[in-house]
Amino acid sequence: MEIRSAKYLISSPKVENCPEPTIPEYAFIGRSNVGKSSLINMLTGQKSLAKTSNTPGKTQLINHFLINNEFYIVDLPGYGFAKVSQSTRAVWEKMIADYLQQRPNLVTVFVLIDSRHAPQPIDLEFLRKLGEWQVPFNVVFTKADKSTQRDAARNARLFIDTMKKEWEFIPQSFMTSSVKTLGRKAILSFIEEMNKGEENS
Ligand code: GDP
């Protein structure tokens, strides 16, 4: 898929404030600093569509981007901030839980996992929540250029193997590097296919 246009639309504090759910939508989430903004910029081919290196916890909103006038990319605030208060965390949890469970046009959530690390409990817990809520998701391993191909592949395999202990069905995953533009084509083709499916449904 070619990206012909990508523009920032709106930031919403609640699912009720999000744009009309008239076109398919793909959300991105992960631990803070996982490389989410960089990935969204890489996918859309725009240097600063999503803000990179934002202060942890600052952007606690649901950010919508309109792509090709055809679908939305949604940048969700990350989880796992060490420094945020209980009340900020509770607001985040409610916003994310409501959004993920109530957004009717949400096709899938891309959950970002840092390919430099062995499986982390916080990521596995988040996937468990998605399972509980029956929200479809895909896994995106980030920062592949930061370790050897072998180490990144090993961590990805370990993560998938860990998932297999709890999940019957393992969704498609992607290895990416925003620096090397790795994984762009695979994710955009995947979205294109999903969009076609939405058209026919
Ligand atoms: P976010 O907090 O998840 O949105 O993460 P950012 O996109 O702001 O990235 C966090 C840090 O990781 C920044 O310093 C980025 O430059 C760096 N980063 C993100 N993606 C990559 C990548 O694919 N490769 C490398 N080498 N660095 C990355």
Side-chain angles (χ1 to χ4, degrees), residues 31-38 52-54 143 145-146 177-179:
R31 206 172 180 170
S32 76
N33 223 33
V34 71
K36 179 166 50 74
S37 309
S38 306
T52 35
S53 66
N54 34 33
K143 307 191 187 182
D145 63 286
K146 281 212 168 192
S177 159
S178 300
V179 170

Side-chain angles (χ1 to χ4, degrees), residues 15-190:
V15 64
E16 292 86 355
N17 308 109
C18 289
E20 284 294 303
T22 48
I23 52 177
E25 166 161 326
Y26 301 84
F28 290 76
I29 197 166
R31 206 172 180 170
S32 76
N33 223 33
V34 71
K36 179 166 50 74
S37 309
S38 306
L39 182 80
I40 292 174
N41 292 338
M42 183 270 266
L43 291 175
T44 55
Q46 294 212 5
K47 276 213 169 77
S48 51
L49 192 66
K51 293 183 200 104
T52 35
S53 66
N54 34 33
T55 323
K58 214 176 91 182
T59 46
Q60 296 285 315
L61 297 167
I62 304 165
N63 303 298
H64 274 79
F65 302 97
L66 177 63
I67 315 298
N68 290 353
N69 289 319
E70 239 171 56
F71 65 96
Y72 293 128
I73 276 183
V74 176
D75 183 0
L76 294 173
Y79 51 84
F81 303 113
K83 287 184 187 143
V84 303
S85 64
Q86 283 283 358
S87 60
T88 307
R89 192 164 309 187
V91 170
W92 177 88
E93 277 174 8
K94 167 118 179 68
M95 178 181 79
I96 296 294
D98 286 351
Y99 168 82
L100 292 172
Q101 293 177 93
Q102 294 174 22
R103 192 71 177 149
N105 58 332
L106 178 63
V107 180
T108 191
V109 186
F110 289 103
V111 181
L112 276 54
I113 307 290
D114 195 323
S115 69
R116 291 174 301 173
H117 308 306
Q120 304 284 303
I122 192 170
D123 293 320
L124 295 163
E125 272 161 33
F126 184 73
L127 294 187
R128 247 170 247 140
K129 278 271 172 228
L130 292 179
E132 229 173 77
W133 298 333
Q134 302 195 337
V135 176
F137 68 89
N138 292 87
V139 172
V140 176
F141 297 101
T142 62
K143 307 191 187 182
D145 63 286
K146 281 212 168 192
S147 25
T148 61
Q149 205 179 341
R150 204 174 142 179
D151 283 350
R154 193 192 52 211
N155 285 331
R157 201 172 46 242
L158 257 175
F159 193 87
I160 300 291
D161 285 348
T162 308
M163 278 181 70
K164 280 184 183 157
K165 292 181 189 151
E166 289 180 40
W167 298 78
E168 260 170 60
F169 173 73
I170 303 295
Q172 193 170 337
S173 61
F174 303 89
M175 182 61 76
T176 69
S177 159
S178 300
V179 170
K180 296 261 164 82
T181 323
L182 175 73
R184 183 173 192 265
K185 221 172 152 182
I187 293 179
L188 292 181
S189 302
F190 179 82

